[in-house]
Amino acid sequence: MPAAKRRQIHLNAFLRNVGQHEAAWRLPETDVSAVTDIEHYRRLARLAEKAKLDAIFFADHPVLKDRSQDRPWDSLDPFTLIAALSGVTERIGLVATASTTYNDPYGIARRFATLDHVSRGRAAWNVVTTANAEAAANFGFEHHPDPDARYGRAAEFLDVAFGLWDSWNDDAIVGDKAGGVFVDPDRIDRLDHAGPHFRVAGPLEIPRSPQGRPVIFQAGSSEPGKELAARYAEAIFTAQPVLDEAQGFYADIKSRVRAHGRDPDKVLILPGLSFFIGGTEAEARALQDTFENLTLPTYGLAQLARITGIDFSNHDLDAVVRVPAREQGGNQKSRHDLVHHLTATETLTLRQLLRRLSAGRGHRIATGTPEQVAATIVEWFGNGAADGFNLIPPALPSSLESFVTEVLPILRSQGLFREDYEGTTLREHLGLDRPSKARRVAAGFAAAAE
Amino acid sequence: MPAAKRRQIHLNAFLRNVGQHEAAWRLPETDVSAVTDIEHYRRLARLAEKAKLDAIFFADHPVLKDRSQDRPWDSLDPFTLIAALSGVTERIGLVATASTTYNDPYGIARRFATLDHVSRGRAAWNVVTTANAEAAANFGFEHHPDPDARYGRAAEFLDVAFGLWDSWNDDAIVGDKAGGVFVDPDRIDRLDHAGPHFRVAGPLEIPRSPQGRPVIFQAGSSEPGKELAARYAEAIFTAQPVLDEAQGFYADIKSRVRAHGRDPDKVLILPGLSFFIGGTEAEARALQDTFENLTLPTYGLAQLARITGIDFSNHDLDAVVRVPAREQGGNQKSRHDLVHHLTATETLTLRQLLRRLSAGRGHRIATGTPEQVAATIVEWFGNGAADGFNLIPPALPSSLESFVTEVLPILRSQGLFREDYEGTTLREHLGLDRPSKARRVAAGFAAAAE
C-alpha cells in the first residue's frame, strides 16, 4: 500500500429485483420468478461482495405501486431481505431503507441495532420520509403528511434513535461470574425523551452495536431533506443527472454540513448512476435501445403523471411534447425540472420522452464503453460532484456483472478503488469514524429506575 | 415409511441467549459474549436443524428488564435475529415473537410475508400482546393497555394481517413478456379494512408467500388469550407445570377450537419443557443444584414480586414463606397460582422457593436420566396434555446438546419423532395445511384503484 493513498471512490449496488429499468423483466434472459427468490438476491450480494463494493442497498416502498401490471416493483420488505443476506455475506455493507413517517423509533432502533450486531458492524439505515402518498392508507393516515411535517418528525425520530443507540456504554457488560454482576446498570442510560412526536423512555435493551450506531444514509433532495442530511447523514443518495447541478448540490451539502459543525469529509455524497456498457459506443447504445424498445407507454405515462402532476395519456405518442415548468413545490421537484428542461431544449415526441425517461428515472446515465463509463465516474469524482456512486444496474444480474468485470478494473488500475476490503465494518469501508457515545445528563438506568 | 405412521411429537427449541436459566451465564462453561454473538446463534440453529427439530423459537421483550445486572435477557430483536438465521439454515422452522400492542399490522404483515419468502416457507409468528407493562413507555403509551384492550386490538390486528397476506392470488404473477403483462391486477385484492383500531387499505405489495401465510403461534393463557388462540392460532406455547392441569388446558383449547368450527388436530398445543439430564437421577439433580446454587436472590425476589405483586425483599431468606392466594386478575395468573400452591403444600424457606422457581419459571421441569425425560414427554404426549413441546434448555448450547444426543434417540426408537424432515416448509413439519386464499367480496386492486 502506498504511503499516501489516493482518495477512494465509494460504490454501492442498488438492487431492485430484476433491475431498475422498467423493461428489465421483459428481456429474454430475465427470470421473472427471481423477484421473490432469495437465491437471486444471494447471488447479487455475493457478486457485489466479491467485487469489494462498499455496500448493497435496498429501497423501500410500503405500498403496491400503481401500474404494477407493467413491471415488478419492490416486492419484499428491504430490512428483512437484507437481514437474511447478512447470513450469506461477511464483509459487504448492508443498507436498508426505512421510513420515519411509517415506523416508530423504538422499533427501528432495535431492529437496526440488531442488524449491526448480527452482521458484525455492516448495518446502515437509509432514512426516508416516504414520497409515495398512497402509503399513508396502509398505516391508518387520512393523508400523507406534507414535507415539513414529515421532516419535523424525521428529525425528532433520529434524535430518539441516536439516543437509544447510545443507551449502553461500550463497557456496560461486566460479566463478573464470581461476583454475580452481568452488567453495570450505571453504565446504561435511560433516554426519557419527550417531544412533539414521540415519548420514549428507553434504554434500548440492546448493548451498543459494533459500529456504535448504524451508518446513516439519507435520500431526498428537497430543502428540508438537505437540512436533515446536513445534520444527521453520513452518506447521501441523490438523483443528479447533470454534472454542473451535481457540483452545486455537492457544494451546497458540504457547506451545510460545515455550518452544523460537522466534518464535510465524513459526509459522503453518492449520486445514482445507471449505465449501459458495450464493447463500442454503438453497442452500448444498441443495448440501451433494447431496453427502451421494451418499455410500455402505460407505465411511462403513469410515471410522467407522478413527476409532473399532468396526465398525458390523451396526447399522441408520436407528437412532439412540451412539459410546462414546475410551479412551487411538488414531491419530485428535481425530476420535474429535468423533464421540463429536456422538452424545452430538445424536440421530442411523447414516445421519445418516455423512452428517454425510462433509462435513468432522473439519475445520471452513462452509456458507452467501459472506458467511457469509468471516465464519467472519474470526472464526477475528481470535480466536486461525487464521493462515489450508488450503482443502479438496469438489469440484474447482467448489468452488475458487466460493471464489475469491465469497469471496476479500470478504476482499480488508476488506484481509485480498493483491491480488497481493509476493514471489517461498513464504517471502515466508507472511511467513517465509529461515533463515541453521547454523554447524557440523566442518571443511569439503575438510578433512574429506583 | 410404515403405511399408518404413528402420530408424531413436535419439538421446538426455545433459544434465550445463553440459556433460560437465570444462572446459566455464571456457569464456568458459558461465554458471556455469546449473548450478542451471531456465531453463537448460528451454532444453535444448526444444532437444532441437524436434530431435525420442527423450529427454533425466540421470545420478544421490547424493553430492558429490571435486574438486568443479574442475568442476560433477550438482547437482540428476535425478528431480525431469525431473519439472519434464515440464511444459514435450510429446513428448520423459524418462529419469532412479535407484539400486536406495539407494532402496526401493515409492518408486521410485510415483514413476516418477506421472512416466509426468504426462508422458502419456514416462517411463523408467535403472537403476543406483551405482558411487560414497562414496554409501554418505549412506545409513547401512558399506560400498558389492560388485557381486554390488548386482546381486542390483537384480534383486529390478526384480521388485518390475514387479509393482507391474502392480497395476492397464488397465480397473480403472469410474467407475460411478449404481451407486457407482469401481474394480473384483477388477481390482487385490496383490503379496505376499517375497524376500531386500524384502517388499512392494502393490498400488500408482496406476492402470496410459500406457506400462504406464516404459521400462527400464540402464547398467553388468560381467558382472552385462549379465545384468541382458538380463533387464530395453529400452535400454542403455554406454561403448564402439572400434568392434570395441562390436560385440562389441552381439552379446553381443543374444545374451543372445535366451537369455532376449526379442526382441533390442526391446532397444536406445545407446553414449555425445561430439563436437567444426567446419567443417573442423582447426577441430574446435582446438575440442577449446580444451576440453583448460582442463582442471585435479588433476581429471584424481583421475579417473585412480578408474579405475585408482593415484595418479599424484607423477608428472611431462611425463614419459611407462604405466598397468599391470588385475588382476581393479575398478569401472571398461572404462575401466581403455582407459587401459592407450592408454598401451601410444602414447607419452603424463601431461599428454597426462589431456587425452585429458578428452574422452570412456571414451565414443566424434567430432571432425570434421558429415559426419564423421554418418559415425561411420552406421558404428556400420550395422555392428552401435549402435541409436543417447546424445549427450554437451561443452558445453551450444552443443555440442547444433551437433549439432542441423549433424549431424541429414545423418542426415535419409539417411532415418535422424525428421522429426517419429510417436507420443506414449517407447515409440512407441523402437519398443517397451506391455507387457501380467502375470497374477498371487494373487487380487485385494479378495479378498486380506478
Side-chain angles (χ1 to χ4, degrees):
Chain A
M1 214 168 42
K5 205 177 59 173
R6 294 192 66 171
R7 175 173 160 249
Q8 296 286 294
I9 296 175
H10 298 287
L11 297 174
N12 304 324
F14 182 86
L15 302 179
R16 168 158 284 160
N17 57 71
V18 294
Q20 166 75 357
H21 196 283
E22 65 194 63
W25 72 277
R26 300 185 68 196
L27 295 172
E29 73 198 45
T30 301
D31 173 8
V32 293
S33 73
V35 168
T36 55
D37 182 359
I38 186 63
E39 206 43 61
H40 171 66
Y41 297 98
R42 288 179 182 171
R43 272 194 296 266
L44 296 174
R46 288 177 179 134
L47 171 63
E49 183 168 72
K50 199 172 160 209
K52 318 298 179 192
L53 300 191
D54 292 81
I56 55 175
F57 189 114
F58 289 103
D60 177 63
H61 297 283
V63 63
L64 183 62
K65 291 214 180 185
D66 54 357
R67 300 304 309 172
S68 59
Q69 57 269 61
D70 292 341
R71 67 161 302 176
W73 265 112
D74 301 284
S75 301
L76 295 173
D77 172 60
F79 182 84
T80 308
L81 177 55
I82 218 158
L85 294 174
S86 75
V88 298
T89 53
E90 291 181 357
R91 299 290 281 278
I92 196 161
L94 307 168
V95 191
T97 304
S99 171
T100 53
T101 306
Y102 301 118
N103 282 291
D104 75 274
Y106 196 91
I108 282 282
R110 74 192 288 239
R111 287 198 287 278
F112 276 92
T114 300
L115 182 63
D116 205 40
H117 277 291
V118 300
S119 67
R120 295 190 160 163
R122 299 186 284 134
W125 170 25
N126 180 40
V127 179
V128 298
T129 65
T130 301
N132 197 318
E134 288 89 337
N138 287 336
F139 296 91
F141 285 57
E142 285 283 353
H143 304 287
H144 190 52
D146 69 29
D148 282 345
R150 298 207 307 273
Y151 279 98
R153 179 180 160 109
E156 189 182 336
F157 196 117
L158 281 161
D159 286 336
V160 172
F162 280 35
L164 289 171
W165 289 324
D166 277 352
S167 296
W168 294 51
N169 279 278
D170 285 313
D171 59 359
I173 295 183
V174 177
D176 174 5
K177 293 181 183 183
V181 181
F182 176 61
V183 299
D184 177 354
D186 288 330
R187 299 183 206 166
I188 302 174
D189 293 331
R190 289 172 65 89
L191 181 61
D192 288 323
H193 173 92
H197 298 89
F198 306 110
R199 284 183 304 118
V200 182
L204 199 63
E205 79 274 23
I206 304 175
R208 202 150 186 272
S209 75
Q211 294 189 110
R213 56 173 185 254
V215 178
I216 301 297
F217 277 63
Q218 184 273 351
S221 303
S222 65
E223 184 60 28
K226 285 192 280 196
E227 266 308 291
L228 189 82
R231 280 177 61 190
Y232 299 97
E234 300 170 283
I236 295 165
F237 176 30
T238 175
Q240 298 294 337
V242 185
L243 178 60
D244 61 350
E245 289 172 16
Q247 289 168 323
F249 180 85
Y250 187 100
D252 181 19
I253 292 284
K254 298 273 177 167
S255 129
R256 288 172 194 248
V257 167
R258 217 175 279 111
H260 281 281
R262 302 176 62 210
D263 178 354
D265 290 343
K266 301 295 182 186
V267 180
L268 306 173
I269 296 176
L270 309 172
L273 179 72
S274 198
F275 42 83
F276 298 89
I277 304 167
T280 64
E281 195 175 330
E283 280 177 24
R285 293 206 177 279
L287 177 64
Q288 185 170 344
D289 278 343
T290 303
F291 282 81
E292 293 181 8
N293 289 339
L294 292 170
T295 55
L296 299 166
T298 44
Y299 181 77
L301 286 167
Q303 299 308 305
L304 190 57
R306 186 176 283 276
I307 293 169
T308 63
I310 304 166
D311 178 8
F312 287 92
S313 57
N314 291 324
H315 192 286
D316 181 354
L317 280 168
D318 295 307
V320 170
V321 69
R322 294 288 293 268
V323 173
R326 179 171 57 88
E327 297 176 18
Q328 278 302 93
N331 249 336
Q332 304 223 14
K333 188 165 113 35
S334 55
R335 285 185 175 84
H336 187 138
D337 292 347
L338 170 74
V339 176
H340 164 67
H341 182 79
L342 259 177
T343 59
T345 56
E346 297 182 44
T347 304
L348 295 170
T349 65
L350 179 55
R351 190 187 304 277
Q352 287 169 324
L353 175 65
L354 296 181
R355 286 175 53 122
R356 189 76 75 85
L357 292 179
S358 76
R361 291 259 160 256
H363 289 286
R364 171 73 186 182
I365 311 158
T367 303
T369 63
E371 292 73 18
Q372 288 173 314
V373 174
T376 296
I377 290 174
V378 174
E379 181 187 23
W380 283 48
F381 178 69
N383 291 283
D387 298 308
F389 292 88
N390 252 12
L391 302 172
I392 304 184
L396 287 167
S398 60
S399 309
L400 185 58
E401 282 167 351
S402 299
F403 188 91
V404 162
T405 314
E406 298 168 41
V407 180
L408 270 193
I410 300 171
L411 300 176
R412 288 203 168 106
S413 72
Q414 299 177 34
L416 292 171
F417 191 73
R418 67 176 70 84
E419 298 281 344
D420 199 356
Y421 295 114
E422 293 172 11
T424 60
T425 70
L426 177 57
R427 289 191 176 279
E428 289 170 321
H429 304 340
L430 296 174
L432 301 173
D433 303 323
R434 184 176 192 272
S436 54
K437 177 186 181 319
R439 262 185 307 178
R440 311 208 73 81
V441 181
F445 174 58
E450 273 160 13
Chain B
M1 214 168 44
K5 204 176 63 174
R6 293 193 66 171
R7 174 172 160 250
Q8 296 286 294
I9 295 175
H10 298 287
L11 297 173
N12 304 323
F14 182 85
L15 302 178
R16 168 157 283 160
N17 57 71
V18 294
Q20 165 75 356
H21 196 282
E22 65 193 64
W25 72 277
R26 299 184 70 195
L27 296 171
E29 75 200 41
T30 301
D31 174 7
V32 293
S33 73
V35 169
T36 56
D37 182 359
I38 185 65
E39 206 43 61
H40 170 67
Y41 296 99
R42 288 179 181 171
R43 272 193 295 266
L44 296 175
R46 288 175 178 135
L47 171 62
E49 184 169 71
K50 200 174 159 206
K52 318 299 179 191
L53 301 190
D54 292 82
I56 55 175
F57 189 113
F58 288 104
D60 177 63
H61 297 282
V63 62
L64 183 63
K65 291 214 178 183
D66 54 357
R67 300 304 309 173
S68 60
Q69 57 268 60
D70 291 340
R71 68 161 300 175
W73 266 112
D74 301 284
S75 301
L76 295 172
D77 172 59
F79 182 84
T80 308
L81 177 56
I82 218 158
L85 294 174
S86 76
V88 298
T89 51
E90 292 180 358
R91 299 290 282 279
I92 196 162
L94 307 168
V95 192
T97 304
S99 171
T100 53
T101 307
Y102 300 118
N103 282 290
D104 75 273
Y106 196 91
I108 282 282
R110 75 191 287 238
R111 287 198 287 278
F112 276 93
T114 300
L115 181 63
D116 205 39
H117 277 291
V118 301
S119 68
R120 296 189 160 165
R122 298 186 284 135
W125 170 25
N126 180 41
V127 178
V128 297
T129 66
T130 301
N132 196 317
E134 288 88 338
N138 287 335
F139 295 90
F141 286 57
E142 286 282 352
H143 304 289
H144 190 52
D146 69 30
D148 282 345
R150 297 207 308 272
Y151 279 98
R153 179 181 161 108
E156 190 182 337
F157 196 117
L158 281 161
D159 285 336
V160 172
F162 279 36
L164 289 171
W165 288 324
D166 276 352
S167 296
W168 294 51
N169 279 279
D170 286 312
D171 61 358
I173 296 183
V174 177
D176 174 5
K177 292 182 183 183
V181 181
F182 175 62
V183 298
D184 177 354
D186 289 329
R187 299 183 206 166
I188 301 174
D189 293 331
R190 289 172 64 90
L191 181 62
D192 288 325
H193 173 92
H197 298 89
F198 305 110
R199 284 183 303 117
V200 181
L204 199 64
E205 80 274 23
I206 304 174
R208 201 148 187 273
S209 75
Q211 294 189 109
R213 57 172 185 256
V215 177
I216 301 297
F217 278 64
Q218 184 273 352
S221 303
S222 65
E223 183 60 30
K226 284 191 280 196
E227 265 307 291
L228 189 81
R231 280 176 62 191
Y232 299 96
E234 300 171 283
I236 295 166
F237 176 30
T238 176
Q240 298 294 337
V242 184
L243 177 60
D244 61 350
E245 287 172 18
Q247 289 168 323
F249 179 85
Y250 187 99
D252 180 19
I253 292 283
K254 298 272 176 170
S255 131
R256 288 172 193 249
V257 167
R258 217 175 278 112
H260 281 281
R262 302 177 62 209
D263 179 354
D265 290 343
K266 301 296 182 183
V267 180
L268 306 173
I269 296 176
L270 309 172
L273 179 72
S274 197
F275 43 83
F276 298 90
I277 304 167
T280 63
E281 195 174 329
E283 279 177 26
R285 293 208 176 278
L287 177 64
Q288 185 170 342
D289 279 342
T290 304
F291 281 81
E292 293 181 9
N293 289 338
L294 292 170
T295 56
L296 299 166
T298 44
Y299 181 78
L301 287 167
Q303 299 308 306
L304 190 58
R306 185 177 284 278
I307 292 170
T308 62
I310 304 166
D311 178 9
F312 287 91
S313 56
N314 291 324
H315 192 285
D316 181 354
L317 280 167
D318 296 306
V320 171
V321 70
R322 292 290 290 269
V323 172
R326 179 171 56 89
E327 297 177 17
Q328 278 302 93
N331 249 335
Q332 305 222 13
K333 188 166 113 33
S334 55
R335 286 186 176 83
H336 188 137
D337 292 347
L338 171 74
V339 175
H340 164 66
H341 183 79
L342 257 178
T343 59
T345 56
E346 298 183 43
T347 303
L348 295 170
T349 66
L350 178 55
R351 189 187 305 278
Q352 286 170 325
L353 175 65
L354 297 182
R355 286 174 54 120
R356 188 77 74 84
L357 291 179
S358 76
R361 291 262 161 255
H363 288 286
R364 170 73 186 183
I365 311 158
T367 303
T369 63
E371 291 73 18
Q372 288 174 313
V373 174
T376 296
I377 291 174
V378 174
E379 181 187 24
W380 283 48
F381 178 69
N383 290 283
D387 298 308
F389 292 89
N390 252 12
L391 302 171
I392 304 184
L396 287 167
S398 60
S399 309
L400 184 58
E401 282 166 351
S402 298
F403 186 92
V404 161
T405 314
E406 298 168 41
V407 180
L408 270 193
I410 300 171
L411 300 176
R412 287 202 169 107
S413 72
Q414 298 177 33
L416 293 172
F417 192 72
R418 69 175 68 83
E419 298 282 344
D420 199 356
Y421 294 114
E422 292 171 13
T424 61
T425 70
L426 177 56
R427 287 190 178 280
E428 289 170 321
H429 304 340
L430 296 175
L432 301 172
D433 303 322
R434 184 177 191 270
S436 55
K437 177 186 179 324
R439 261 185 307 180
R440 310 208 75 81
V441 181
F445 174 58
E450 272 159 13

